[in-house]
Amino acid sequence: MTAVSRTREARAGLGMSAPALTAIVIFFVIPAVASLLLSFTDFDIYALADLSNLRFVGFQNYARLVENPLFWKAMGNTLWFVLLGVPFVVGLSLFAAMLVNSRWLKWRPVWRVALFAPYVTTLVATAVVWRYLLHTRYGLVNYLLSLFGIAPVDWLGDPHASLPAILIFVGWKTFGYNMIIFLAALQTVPRELEEAARIDGAGWWTRLRHVTSPAIAPTVLLVSVLTVAAMFQLFAEPYVMTQGGPAQSTVTILYFMYEEGFKWWNLGSGAAVAFLLFLCILAVTLVQLRLARKAV
Amino acid sequence: MAGLSIRGAQKSFGDTEVLKGVSIDVADGEFAVIVGPSGCGKSTLLRAVAGLEELTGGSITIGDRDVTALPPSDRGIAMVFQSYALYPHLTVYENMAFALKIAKAGKGAIDEAVRRAAAILNIEALLDRKPAALSGGQRQRVAIGRAIVRQPQIFLFDEPLSNLDADLRVRMRYEFASLHRQLGTTTLYVTHDQVEAMTLADRIIVLRDGLIEQVGTPRELYERPANIFVAQFLGTPRMNILSATVADGGQALLADGRRIALPPTALPLAAGAPISVGIRPEDIAIGDAPGALPYTVHFVERLGGLATVHLGGREGDEPVACQLRDDGSIAEGDRLAASFAPGHLHLFDAAGRAIGVRGG
C-alpha cells in the first residue's frame, strides 16, 4: 500500500466515525474534562452568580474531602453496597433467568413479564410501596419473618438494617434487566450439549458447571461489570427511601456528592467526589477484566 | 453388547402425533439404519431410545432390560450428535474422559480407555487440543471416540455426516463401516440420505409420517420395495412410475395408449384394474427389440461414466428416465427405442402397494 492511499484510507475512516466521535466528545469527553477542571476550583453559588468569584484552588477540594469523616463514611457504605449488592443482584438475576428458562415452567412468557416489570416501574412510586412493605409494625416483610419466629426488624430506622433494606429494594428493582441479559445468554447454550452431558451421566450441578457456566461466563462478566458500576453510583434508592439515614448509614458516594453539590452548592467539591468515584469504578473494572482474562 | 427392541412406540407433541406405533427389532451386533424424509419421526425415535424424549406409549428394551423409564445415562447407550456436541472448554482428552470421570472411574482406567479409543480413531495427536482447533472431520472422530470410551451396548447416530462436505462424507462412511466391523457393537443410525442407508446398513428401516413403510436388507428393499414410496425413496435416479391399466394377454395399457408386457405376477389381476408400473432407470434397455417403444431424447445429464437420459414420446406420453453408460453418442433430439423387460417391472396396486411383495 502506498503512503497516499493509506492517508486516503485513514481520512475515509475518520470521516465515517466522525458522527459517533463527535457525540462521544460532546457528551462524554468535554463534560468529564470540565468536571475534572471544576474539581480544582472553588466553584460555588457565588461563582454561579458572578464568574469572577471563581478561583483556582489546586488540590484543596481533595485535601478537604480526605479530612471529611462523612466522605469516608459514604465511601465505606458504598463499598458495602458493592460487596454485598453485586453478588446479590447477579445471583438473583441468574437464578431468575434459569427459572424462566427451564422447560418445566408453565406460562413462561407471563413469568418473564412479571419478573421484568419491577425494572420499568417508577422508582419513587415503588419506593412508597416498599416503605410500607418494610414498615416495622404493619409491613409484609416483618409479617413473613414473624412466621419463622423472627422478631420485627426496624428496617428503615435501624442503622444496621437500613443498608440491607435498601439492597433488597435495589435487587428487586434491577434484577429483571440483568435477567433478560442472562436469559439471552442461556438460550444460546446448545441443547445438544446439554443432552450429550445427560447421556454422559452428568447431573444438574455438573451440567451447570461444565455446560452452562462456560457458555455464559462472558455474560456473567459483563453483568458484573455493569452491576459494579451501578452499585458505585447508587443514589436514587437511598434518596427516596431513607435520605441517607438513619445515622448516615445509607449515605453513598453519589448521595454525598449530591449534597455537596446541590444542597451546599460546593460544586467544585462535588466535582472532586465525582472524579474520585470515576477512578474507583475504573480501577475495579480493570481488576475484574484482568481476573476474567486469567480465568477464561 | 445387546440387541434392541422397540414395541409400539408412540410420541405426540401436543396434538401432533410424530410416532404412531413403531416396532423395531435390532439384533445383537447389527447395523440398523432408519431412513426417511424430514419430519418422518426418525430423530424422535432415536432420541426416545436415548432417553432424551419420553414416549407417549410403547416400550424400549435393550438386551433384556426394559429401559423405557430409565434416564439416558443408565441405558447403556452412547450417542453421536449431528453437531458433535463436544464440550468447547474441555480438551479432546477431557471430552472423551468426561463420562468415565462422572462415573468415578479410576485415573488409570480412564487413561487406558481414552488412549485405546484414540488409537482406534487415529486421533492420538489431537488429545491436547480444544474442539475449536479441530476440523469438521476431526470433531466427528472425537465425538465417536467419546461414544466408544463409554463401551455402550448400543451406538446411536443422529445424522452424523450431515455437517461434512461430500468428499469427507464418503470417507467417513467407509470408516463407520470398518469401525462397526471392528467393534461389532449394535448400532442404530438415523439419516435422510438413502446412499448412507444403502451403503452402511445391515438392515434398513424406512419411516414415513411416524409409521414404518418397510424393513429389510438394502438388497431386499431395492429389489422388492413394498410400495411406491420405498421404491422411489431408494435409488438415484429414482424409479420411473407409469400409470397403466391391466389389459388382456398379460399386457398393460399405459396412460399414453401404448402397451407393454407384464410379468407373471400380474396374472391374477383382472383386466381393467388400475395399476402403477415401476422400472428402475438402469433396467431400461435401449435398442430395437420386440415390443420396444419409440422415444425422443429430451435431456441428457452426463455424469462422466454414466448418463441419465430423460426420454419423452409424443405429446401425452409419460416421460421416463434411464441410466446408460455414456459413450457420448446420445444427443438431445435423438430418437431411440426403449424396452421394459417384464422381469424388471415392479407392479403396484391403486393404493401404491406392491403386487406380489409382502411389506415389513
Side-chain angles (χ1 to χ4, degrees):
Chain A
M1 206 190 278
T2 65
V4 176
S5 75
R6 202 174 302 151
T7 327
R8 195 176 297 163
E9 200 168 89
R11 210 175 292 157
L14 262 178
M16 286 191 220
S17 48
L21 285 178
T22 312
I24 291 174
V25 167
I26 292 178
F27 294 110
F28 176 71
V29 177
I30 293 179
V33 171
S35 72
L36 178 61
L37 292 177
L38 206 61
S39 73
F40 295 118
T41 69
D42 68 346
F43 197 84
D44 56 14
I45 199 160
Y46 304 106
L48 270 179
D50 182 357
L51 268 183
S52 63
N53 286 329
L54 185 69
R55 276 165 308 177
F56 184 75
V57 294
F59 283 94
Q60 202 181 307
N61 284 328
Y62 292 93
R64 227 183 280 147
L65 272 185
V66 176
E67 286 165 9
N68 187 343
L70 186 56
F71 170 75
W72 290 110
K73 175 84 179 160
M75 203 64 160
N77 287 342
T78 305
L79 282 180
W80 275 117
F81 272 118
V82 172
L83 281 178
L84 298 175
V86 172
F88 173 61
V89 171
V90 172
L92 187 66
S93 319
L94 186 56
F95 176 76
M98 294 205 296
L99 188 75
V100 297
N101 191 44
S102 53
R103 237 165 285 155
W104 47 262
L105 187 74
K106 299 250 191 249
W107 300 93
R108 267 184 290 176
V110 177
W111 280 101
R112 285 175 195 176
V113 171
L115 293 179
F116 183 66
Y119 181 72
V120 288
T121 53
T122 317
L123 182 99
V124 177
T126 51
V128 172
V129 175
W130 271 92
R131 286 180 65 106
Y132 273 110
L133 289 176
L134 293 169
H135 194 279
T136 315
R137 282 180 68 183
Y138 310 113
L140 182 69
V141 175
N142 275 350
Y143 169 72
L144 291 177
L145 289 180
S146 75
L147 296 181
F148 297 96
I150 298 173
V153 180
D154 185 3
W155 288 104
L156 301 175
D158 180 344
H160 296 291
S162 54
L163 195 141
I166 298 272
L167 266 185
I168 292 172
F169 178 54
V170 170
W172 172 84
K173 186 84 180 68
T174 55
F175 83 97
Y177 180 73
N178 296 328
M179 177 190 81
I180 296 293
I181 301 179
F182 277 133
L183 187 60
L186 285 173
Q187 287 176 344
T188 62
V189 181
R191 208 173 117 201
E192 289 198 336
L193 262 187
E194 189 99 353
E195 291 174 345
R198 269 170 71 196
I199 290 177
D200 278 344
W204 179 84
W205 174 246
T206 316
R207 290 207 300 276
L208 181 69
R209 220 184 107 204
H210 285 288
V211 178
T212 315
S213 301
I216 65 167
T219 312
V220 175
L221 175 66
L222 170 80
V223 169
S224 305
V225 169
L226 291 179
T227 310
V228 164
M231 284 294 168
F232 264 116
Q233 299 180 65
L234 208 59
F235 166 71
E237 288 85 352
Y239 182 72
V240 294
M241 293 280 278
T242 56
Q243 289 79 46
Q248 296 161 339
S249 62
T250 56
V251 171
T252 62
I253 282 287
L254 218 66
Y255 191 86
F256 175 76
M257 181 185 89
Y258 166 79
E259 292 216 314
E260 276 296 300
F262 298 104
K263 199 165 172 186
W264 315 119
W265 292 102
N266 293 324
L267 290 162
S269 169
V273 177
F275 192 71
L276 288 178
L277 177 64
F278 166 70
L279 288 184
C280 274
I281 297 177
L282 183 70
V284 172
T285 307
L286 286 179
V287 170
Q288 272 181 305
L289 290 178
R290 174 67 54 89
L291 286 178
R293 205 168 304 148
K294 230 176 250 174
V296 176
Chain B
M1 272 183 291
L4 165 72
S5 168
I6 302 170
R7 285 279 145 266
Q10 289 177 325
K11 174 71 186 174
S12 304
F13 294 102
D15 291 337
T16 319
E17 229 185 330
V18 181
L19 297 175
K20 303 170 183 171
V22 173
S23 297
I24 296 173
D25 286 294
V26 182
D28 189 4
E30 195 174 28
F31 197 120
V33 175
I34 305 177
V35 69
S38 47
C40 71
K42 55 190 189 298
S43 281
T44 307
L45 185 61
L46 190 80
R47 291 167 55 79
V49 174
L52 299 172
E53 220 64 85
E54 225 172 290
L55 284 179
T56 324
S59 68
I60 297 166
T61 313
I62 293 174
D64 43 19
R65 285 193 313 152
D66 184 337
V67 299
T68 318
L70 292 183
S73 55
D74 294 346
R75 294 189 173 202
I77 52 105
M79 183 154 166
V80 174
F81 292 86
Q82 183 176 350
S83 65
Y84 319 133
L86 301 176
Y87 308 116
H89 67 297
L90 299 181
T91 63
V92 167
Y93 185 97
E94 290 163 337
N95 260 284
M96 290 167 68
F98 192 71
L100 296 182
K101 225 166 147 188
I102 288 175
K104 301 204 159 58
K107 246 199 168 106
I110 294 179
D111 194 62
E112 199 194 321
V114 170
R115 299 210 179 270
R116 196 171 50 219
I120 291 173
L121 293 159
N122 245 328
I123 51 173
E124 291 125 309
L126 307 178
L127 287 177
D128 294 328
R129 292 211 208 154
K130 294 258 175 91
L134 303 178
S135 70
Q138 290 170 334
R139 282 178 208 179
Q140 176 64 271
R141 254 171 248 251
V142 175
I144 297 168
R146 191 172 62 178
I148 292 178
V149 166
R150 301 194 56 209
Q151 297 194 307
Q153 294 183 300
I154 295 183
F155 277 129
L156 304 175
F157 290 96
D158 188 8
E159 309 241 10
L161 301 183
S162 306
N163 284 0
L164 301 177
D165 57 46
D167 187 38
L168 201 54
R169 207 178 302 161
V170 175
R171 215 174 65 215
M172 286 306 291
R173 216 157 62 200
Y174 169 76
E175 286 191 24
F176 273 136
S178 50
L179 192 67
H180 180 248
R181 210 164 301 152
Q182 194 178 345
L183 299 174
T185 309
T186 313
T187 302
L188 192 60
Y189 185 110
V190 159
T191 180
H192 64 275
D193 182 353
Q194 51 107 357
V195 179
E196 271 172 43
M198 292 295 286
T199 50
L200 285 172
D202 292 324
R203 221 143 48 96
I204 296 179
I205 298 135
V206 182
L207 209 60
R208 180 170 66 149
D209 290 339
L211 285 171
I212 292 178
E213 294 282 329
Q214 193 174 4
V215 179
T217 66
R219 242 340 343 125
E220 278 166 6
L221 264 57
Y222 193 76
E223 287 174 352
R224 292 194 299 281
N227 51 48
I228 293 182
F229 176 78
V230 175
Q232 293 207 301
F233 194 79
L234 299 177
T236 36
R238 53 200 226 150
M239 183 189 279
N240 297 295
I241 299 288
L242 307 169
S243 45
T245 47
V246 178
D248 293 330
Q251 287 196 314
L253 183 65
L254 297 182
D256 57 21
R258 302 194 281 193
R259 284 168 180 268
I260 55 171
L262 290 178
T265 44
L267 282 179
L269 297 175
I275 55 169
S276 295
V277 178
I279 183 157
R280 295 212 178 266
E282 68 270 24
D283 290 336
I284 295 177
I286 299 296
D288 285 323
L293 305 176
Y295 277 102
T296 308
V297 175
H298 277 181
F299 181 61
V300 184
E301 283 178 282
R302 297 189 193 282
L303 305 171
L306 294 172
T308 304
V309 180
H310 297 268
L311 303 173
R314 301 173 306 257
E315 194 77 16
D317 290 359
E318 289 204 45
V320 293
C322 67
Q323 198 162 48
L324 305 170
R325 284 215 58 79
D326 186 19
D327 53 6
S329 63
I330 295 176
E332 281 158 37
D334 283 358
R335 300 189 59 80
L336 42 78
S339 42
F340 309 140
H344 284 143
L345 295 184
H346 303 260
L347 303 184
F348 303 97
D349 64 17
R353 284 186 300 260
I355 297 168
V357 174
R358 269 184 302 148

